[in-house]
Amino acid sequence: MKPIIRGRAYILGDNIDTDQIIPAHYLTLNPAIPEEYRQLGRHALAGVPEAEGGLPKGHIPFHDPQTGQSSYNILIAGRNFGCGSSREHAPIALNAAGVEAIVAEFYARIFFRNAVNGGYLIPMESPQRLCEEIRTGDELEIHIREALLVNHTTGDRWKLKPLGEIAPILEAGGLFAYARQTGMLRS
Amino acid sequence: MGMTITEKILAKAAGKSSVAVGDTVWVEADILMTHDVCGPGTIGVFYEQFGRNARVWDPDKVVIIPDHYIFTADQKAHRNVDILRQFVREQGIRHYYDPDFLHGDGMPTPYRDPTKTSYKGVCHIALPEEGHTRPGEVLFGTDSHTCTAGAFGEFATGIGNTEAGFVLGTGKLWLKVPATMRFIFEGTLPEWLMAKDLILAVIGEIGCDGATYQAMEFAGEGVLSLNIEERMTLCNMVIEAGGKNGVIAPDDKTLEYVRSRNRSGKAFEPVFNDADARFVYEKVFDVRRLEPVVAKPHSPDNRAAVSEVKGTRLDRAYIGSCTGGKLTDFKAAARILHGRSVRIDTFIVPATTEIEGALKTEKYNGQTLEEIFLSAGARLGSASCAACLGGPSDTFGRLNAPLTCISATNRNFPGRMGHKEAQVFLASPLTVAASAVAGCIADPRDFLQ
Ligand code: SF4
C-alpha cells in the first residue's frame, strides 16, 4: 500500500451503484484474463448519467475521448458508494482505469469488501461531505496512515476516518496475502 | 446475553458458543454458489492463488448455476459457460445446472419442454428448488441477491470473486457479526397487497442505505401468513436497503418446503431468536393500513403510493427475475390478466424452468397461466435473468431505448434494465399486470372485484 496517493480528483454524487460503475453488458468480460481486465477499465463509470459525472459542473467524461485513458486516480463521492450488485468487476474496472483511492461518506458493504479483499484500491471514508467541497480536476494528496487529505488546488486540508481494522488487509495487498501473512493459509 | 438468529448461526459456523455484534469471525460455509457472470472470475482467482492443480474444499458444497446471459448470441457469454463446464468437470462438482442447449454458435434455441433440461435458470430460485437451502446454514453466493435464502432461516449473503475464490479453496471466510433490525408486520395481507409492497414500504422507510452492514429480520403474522415464495421476495430485496442478510424464523411452512426438496437428506438445525435477543431497531407495520406502492425512478427507495402516481404513462411492463418471476407472482398477474388484453408491450419471464413448466399446467379459471398471458397479448421468455439487469443488447425484454417501464424486478438504478435514460418503476406483479392492462400506472384494487 502506498503511504501517499497524489493525483487529480473526479467527483461523483450519492448512491453510485455498481451498474453505473460497470454496466451489465460489459460483464461478459472475464477479469481473470488480463486483456479483458484492461478492457473493463476502459468502460469504468460508463453507466453514470452524463450530468452526474465530474461534479460540480457535470458532463465531464471520466476517460479522455481521444486516448480512452483516464487521468483521474482519486474519486470523491457522497453516500453509499458501490451499492447494488456484488460484481467484483466494479472495483476491478476502477483499478484498471487507474483509480487508486476513493473518498466517500460511506460504502455499500459488498463493494467495500471487494475493494479491500481484492486489494484493488483504498476506500477511505470522510466525516464531511467532500463531494460538495472538492471540484473535478483539483490536485489532491491523500496521506493514508495519517488519514489526511490535502487539496493543493484550494489549500484545504480534511481529516478522514482512519482505515481501522481493514488496514492490515490493505497493507498486505488483499485477502489472500493477508491470510498467508497471518498463517491462515500456507504460503 | 441472548442472541438473534443471525448471531446464533454465525456463532455456530465460527465454532464459538457465542458472538457479539461487531466481532470479526471466520465462519465455515455450508454452500458456495456462483453463476456465469462471476464464476469465471472466481475460478480464475482460485487457480491463480491455490495453483493449477488445486482442488475445491468440498465439491458437494459448491453449486454452480448459469442464469444471467444464456439467451444471447454473445460469444463471450457462451465462452463463460464453457469455463464453468470445464471447472465442474475438473473438480467433480455434481450440483451444476447446465444449459444443455447452448453450443456456442449464435442465439441458442431453447428446450421445447422446460421440464426436460438440466438447465434451471435464476440461481436464487434454483437454489431452494434444488434443495440447497436449509435453516441454520451459511450460504455464500457471488451475487448480491443471495440474501433471498434468508427466507429459509439461514444466513445468506453476497460476496465477490476474490472472497469466493478463497472460500473455494478453504471453505472459510471472515465476517463481521451484524446487528439485527427487526420489521414486524401485523395483520394478514388483503388480496391486493403482496410481499413486494411490504419490502418497498420498508426500503422507502429506511432508505437505500438504511440497513448498511446490518441484518434485517422479518416477523409477525403478516410475514408468517405469506407462502415461501413471498417470503423470498421480502429477503431478496434487503440488499436494496444495503442489508447484509435478511432472515425469517423457520416455521412449519419452511420445514415442509425444505424437507420436500432436501434431496441430499442433509440434517439441519432450525435456529430461533433467544427471548432476550437484542435488536438495534424495531418497526411495526400494520399491513391492513398499507397501500400498493411503487418505487419511482431511479432508486428502490423512491417510494410512492400507487394512488399518487396513477395514470403515469408507460411504454412497457415486465414481470420476471428472482424477486418477481416465481409461480406466486404469475398466479397473481393471471388474476388480473385473465380475460383482459394488455395495452403496452408486456414481457413475462419465469425465473426457472420449473416455474416455466408450471405456467403450462397451473390453471386459473379453467385456463393455464400460459394461455392467459398469451391471449392477453403478453410475450413469454425462457427462464433466465433476462432484462432484469439489461445484459447484452439481444436480451429478451431489454430496454434498448429510453422507454418508461413498470417492472416486478428489484432494481431501477439508471441503466439497470438497459438504456441509461430509461425510467423504471418497481411494483408488485399485481400492480404491473394492472398497469399493463391500463397502459399507465394503475391500482390493482380497481381490477380485483
Ligand atoms: S434475476 Fe435479476 S436480480 Fe435476480 S439474480 Fe438475475 S440479474 Fe440478479
Side-chain angles (χ1 to χ4, degrees), chain B residues 67-68 122-124 143 145 321-322 385 388-389 410 416:
Chain B
D67 58 353
H68 278 60
V122 179
C123 57
H124 309 300
D143 191 289
H145 291 109
S321 84
C322 51
C385 292
C388 170
L389 84 164
N410 45 29
R416 170 70 180 183

Side-chain angles (χ1 to χ4, degrees), chain B residues 91-170:
Chain B
Q91 298 290 336
I93 290 166
R94 291 183 300 130
H95 303 308
Y96 170 63
Y97 302 93
D98 189 50
D100 46 13
F101 47 86
L102 189 87
H103 306 296
D105 37 6
M107 175 66 81
T109 321
Y111 37 81
R112 277 260 168 79
D113 182 347
T115 62
K116 294 205 173 79
T117 166
S118 51
Y119 174 66
K120 281 296 299 182
V122 179
C123 57
H124 309 300
I125 312 305
L127 276 168
E129 283 181 356
E130 294 297 306
H132 302 300
T133 54
R134 283 168 290 263
E137 291 197 347
V138 172
L139 166 72
F140 292 121
T142 60
D143 191 289
S144 61
H145 291 109
T146 303
C147 53
T148 309
F152 300 92
E154 66 180 319
F155 178 84
T157 197
I159 61 174
N161 301 351
T162 300
E163 296 178 309
F166 191 91
V167 175
L168 275 180
T170 64

Side-chain angles (χ1 to χ4, degrees), chain B residues 304-384:
Chain B
V306 166
S307 50
E308 294 172 63
V309 288
K310 211 168 144 172
T312 305
R313 198 192 59 81
L314 295 168
D315 301 304
R316 183 175 285 196
Y318 187 96
I319 305 180
S321 84
C322 51
T323 192
K326 297 173 263 76
L327 190 55
T328 306
D329 301 310
F330 296 122
K331 283 185 182 169
R335 280 164 55 204
I336 288 181
L337 293 179
H338 183 270
R340 294 193 175 100
S341 296
V342 299
R343 284 225 187 135
I344 48 177
D345 288 341
T346 299
F347 294 80
I348 303 261
V349 188
T352 63
T353 47
E354 179 176 320
I355 297 165
E356 196 177 339
L359 295 185
K360 298 174 191 297
T361 52
E362 191 70 35
K363 289 191 173 166
Y364 177 74
N365 265 353
Q367 272 189 304
T368 67
L369 301 187
E370 187 179 84
E371 286 161 358
I372 292 169
F373 297 150
L374 291 177
S375 53
R379 296 177 56 188
L380 257 66
S382 303
S384 162

